[in-house]
Amino acid sequence: MKRAFSKLAFPKYTKPEVLTEIPGPKSRQLLKEMDLLQETRTINFFMNTAKSQGTYAVDADGNVILDVFGHIASLPLGYNHPAMAEAATKPEWLPFLLQRHALGVQPPEEWPRELRETLMRVSPKGFSEVMTTCGCGSSANENAFKAAFIWKRKRERHSAEPTREELLTCMRNEAPGSPQLSILSFEKSFHGRMLGCLSATRSKPIHKVDIPAFPWPVCRFPRLSYPLEEHQRENREEEDRCLTHVEDIVHSHPIPVAGIIVEPIMAEGGDHAATPYFYQQLRRIAANNGIAFIVDEVQTGCGATGRFWAHDYWQLDNPPDIVTFAKKMQVSGFYLKGEFRPAQTYRIYNTWMGDPLRMLQLHVITNVIEGENLLRRVSDTGSFLKMELERISQEYPFLVANVRGKGTFLAFDTPDGETRNQLLFEMRQKGVQIGGCGENTVRLRPPLIFDQQDANILLETLQTVLRKFKNHSVQHKSVPIK
Ligand SMILES: Cc1ncc(COP(=O)(O)O)c(C=O)c1O
């Protein structure tokens, strides 16, 4: 195994190398094979993972592609990072490759230390506890909602045990055992696709249609005007309007609100964010009304905004009650305040409750983030990239607008979904993989190791594609300025 890994660390790519169209013949053949068994329409190309390195993905046809999408924002250190490759050859990893523990029954003896030295080491301010969940962001949010409901009912019962009536009625899915409680979320938000969290997801109808939902409230989310500095007054008015809407719902919704969930940057829904003021006020409204304030850092967490946790930018006096994480962290779960730990056992529980192997990966990730000062790199590369995108936006105002984001977690709008998809396709043909979100938005989600040289390649390729667009069909369109 050692030899295989040392080989992995060998190739070093500095620019895209495109040999075929993407997906090429081999990827297309694999798509055919796979389509007999599973849905394939969302797949861009198949990877040769062993040959991939750093910020470059190598596909099945040998194309070397700069990866600025990073597996939907879930690739922290790029491909086959030497520190990860080295750690994976250590004998301590082997038992966790060979079997998986039921962490709620027989955790490995290393587990308390790993929790302390990985998850608690990077804990957001104000937390002394953490729960790990199945691995995906949806499982983190789903369990966070349960924690909020259990906490709310415990408060209402003044910490007494559930009554006999509650225990009987819950078995029939009836009140008071199965109470009417809700989670308030925002228009365009995305909190996952599992049955519970899907009721809080509001990004696209196709995710929700045909699936029974809880009748939970949804609130308007501020649509800010850019550049922010030039629209401070109207943006503040817009945020105040949305906050009034939140307060109205909290006071009048027929189903009492147990939790408010919000993403620091509403990613899948189109990379929208409000100013710190908005989140500070949300925090205040939640605290004043006995509501759990849940921050969904599934996509924003683990450094991509230049801070380990994006909500750090809000400078809250009173930290959130729950912060959920997954994606780049490799493990999923949520930080919670002590009062959110259920009084009874087995209430937030499942077979695996996490994965020690992924935790070992996170250990390496946090070491590398610290050792290579990656948050600084993200900030520096991100500032450069944003500045250059703004310049490009001035050059092609009809194609690129509303450049926004923090660190390398950046986005811009195109005139419409068709142009956006064409842009993503053309970029991929030139060996640069980027992503879309919302209706007409391009989002950048590179790994944390992405540097200025990578940024220059992205920018040069983007300009080549934009020039082609300008000379051809899309020049009559223009981007709606928010
Ligand atoms: C903010 C946010 N929350 C939750 C999720 C759901 O995570 P997963 O797809 O891992 O279930 C996502 C996924 O994109 C997300 O961006």
Side-chain angles (χ1 to χ4, degrees), residues 72 135-139 141 190-193 263 267-268 296-299 326-327:
I72 326 183
C136 63
S138 302
S139 70
N141 285 335
F190 186 91
H191 301 293
R193 299 162 192 269
E263 299 158 76
E268 302 294 320
D296 179 348
E297 289 253 23
V298 166
Q299 191 153 162
K327 288 200 188 256

Side-chain angles (χ1 to χ4, degrees), residues 32-88:
K32 265 197 210 144
E33 276 177 41
M34 183 170 154
D35 200 63
L36 297 173
L37 310 171
Q38 280 187 355
E39 166 67 70
T40 54
R41 283 170 295 178
T42 59
I43 293 175
N44 298 141
F45 51 82
F46 284 84
M47 283 192 58
N48 182 331
T49 317
K51 283 196 176 153
S52 302
Q53 179 66 37
T55 46
Y56 285 89
V58 176
D59 78 359
D61 291 278
N63 297 299
V64 178
I65 300 162
L66 179 66
D67 194 342
V68 196
F69 194 31
H71 296 254
I72 326 183
S74 72
L75 187 71
L77 303 182
Y79 296 104
N80 299 315
H81 191 283
M84 193 69 83
E86 196 198 322

Side-chain angles (χ1 to χ4, degrees), residues 385-438:
L385 190 53
K386 193 173 183 190
M387 190 181 72
E388 288 299 303
L389 286 171
E390 274 159 358
R391 193 185 53 69
I392 290 175
S393 164
Q394 281 168 12
E395 200 178 330
Y396 300 91
F398 49 89
L399 284 168
V400 172
N402 307 324
V403 174
R404 55 192 181 274
K406 289 222 154 38
T408 52
F409 198 107
L410 297 174
F412 58 85
D413 292 336
T414 64
D416 53 37
E418 194 192 327
T419 309
R420 189 269 315 274
N421 294 344
Q422 212 180 323
L423 182 92
L424 301 186
F425 176 80
E426 295 291 341
M427 290 292 286
R428 197 173 306 125
Q429 300 317 305
K430 300 205 171 313
V432 178
Q433 167 81 334
I434 49 180
C437 61

Side-chain angles (χ1 to χ4, degrees), residues 100-101 103 111 131-144 194 325-327 330-334 348-356 358:
R100 190 165 173 181
H101 297 72
L103 292 169
W111 192 242
M131 281 289 306
T132 47
T133 59
C134 298
C136 63
S138 302
S139 70
N141 285 335
E142 193 101 359
N143 282 303
M194 284 187 186
F325 57 84
K327 288 200 188 256
Q330 308 303 302
V331 296
S332 74
F334 55 99
I348 297 181
Y349 192 82
N350 79 317
T351 305
W352 282 329
M353 301 181 73
D355 182 351
R358 302 293 159 194

Side-chain angles (χ1 to χ4, degrees), residues 141-447:
N141 285 335
E142 193 101 359
N143 282 303
F145 293 174
K146 282 180 61 180
F149 293 139
I150 294 168
W151 167 83
K152 180 89 174 167
R153 289 296 295 135
K154 184 174 92 177
R155 280 166 62 107
E156 287 171 354
R157 276 198 296 267
H158 307 290
S159 296
E161 289 286 312
T163 62
R164 189 176 143 70
E165 189 196 5
E166 285 170 331
L167 295 175
L168 285 173
T169 50
C170 75
M171 296 308 287
R172 301 194 298 269
N173 296 345
E174 288 169 4
S178 301
Q180 289 290 314
L181 288 175
S182 65
I183 300 288
L184 184 157
S185 63
F186 290 90
E187 280 173 5
K188 300 282 177 199
S189 62
F190 186 91
H191 301 293
R193 299 162 192 269
M194 284 187 186
L195 213 47
C197 53
L198 193 56
S199 287
T201 285
R202 313 282 182 172
S203 56
K204 291 197 180 119
I206 196 66
H207 303 329
K208 292 170 74 77
V209 68
D210 296 335
I211 299 171
F214 291 112
W216 292 349
V218 59
C219 186
R220 258 171 59 79
F221 188 79
R223 295 300 293 241
L224 301 189
S225 303
Y226 292 85
L228 294 180
E229 313 76 57
E230 289 171 26
H231 297 88
Q232 285 180 16
R233 219 189 65 215
E234 65 201 87
N235 284 342
R236 177 58 65 90
E237 285 166 6
E238 167 70 355
E239 292 187 326
D240 281 334
R241 272 192 298 276
C242 294
L243 288 164
T244 305
H245 191 197
V246 174
E247 296 223 63
D248 286 350
I249 290 173
V250 162
H251 293 130
S252 66
H253 197 269
I255 308 182
V257 179
I260 296 177
I261 186 164
V262 69
E263 299 158 76
I265 298 174
M266 194 179 264
E268 302 294 320
D271 269 32
H272 302 295
T275 70
Y277 164 80
F278 178 75
Y279 304 100
Q280 288 159 8
Q281 296 308 311
L282 270 189
R283 205 305 153 240
R284 179 187 57 75
I285 294 169
N288 288 350
N289 291 281
I291 292 170
F293 185 49
I294 306 170
V295 178
D296 179 348
E297 289 253 23
V298 166
Q299 191 153 162
T300 48
C302 200
T305 64
R307 303 255 174 105
F308 201 94
W309 300 107
H311 76 269
D312 209 28
Y313 283 104
W314 303 342
Q315 301 192 313
L316 298 177
D317 295 334
N318 178 9
D321 296 307
I322 293 179
V323 173
T324 63
F325 57 84
K327 288 200 188 256
K328 283 192 179 60
M329 297 284 281
Q330 308 303 302
V331 296
S332 74
F334 55 99
Y335 295 94
L336 63 163
K337 297 213 172 129
E339 63 195 281
F340 285 79
R341 184 197 288 209
Q344 303 84 5
T345 53
Y346 291 113
R347 301 204 68 182
I348 297 181
Y349 192 82
N350 79 317
T351 305
W352 282 329
M353 301 181 73
D355 182 351
L357 186 60
R358 302 293 159 194
M359 192 71 119
L360 291 177
Q361 284 185 307
L362 179 62
H363 207 139
V364 176
I365 292 162
T366 51
N367 282 344
V368 173
I369 290 177
E370 214 176 280
E372 295 186 12
N373 208 356
L374 288 185
L375 295 185
R376 165 50 66 91
R377 184 187 299 189
V378 168
S379 293
D380 291 350
T381 311
S383 305
F384 167 74
L385 190 53
K386 193 173 183 190
M387 190 181 72
E388 288 299 303
L389 286 171
E390 274 159 358
R391 193 185 53 69
I392 290 175
S393 164
Q394 281 168 12
E395 200 178 330
Y396 300 91
F398 49 89
L399 284 168
V400 172
N402 307 324
V403 174
R404 55 192 181 274
K406 289 222 154 38
T408 52
F409 198 107
L410 297 174
F412 58 85
D413 292 336
T414 64
D416 53 37
E418 194 192 327
T419 309
R420 189 269 315 274
N421 294 344
Q422 212 180 323
L423 182 92
L424 301 186
F425 176 80
E426 295 291 341
M427 290 292 286
R428 197 173 306 125
Q429 300 317 305
K430 300 205 171 313
V432 178
Q433 167 81 334
I434 49 180
C437 61
E439 303 297 321
N440 57 335
T441 301
V442 171
R443 63 172 152 167
L444 308 180
R445 299 290 180 270

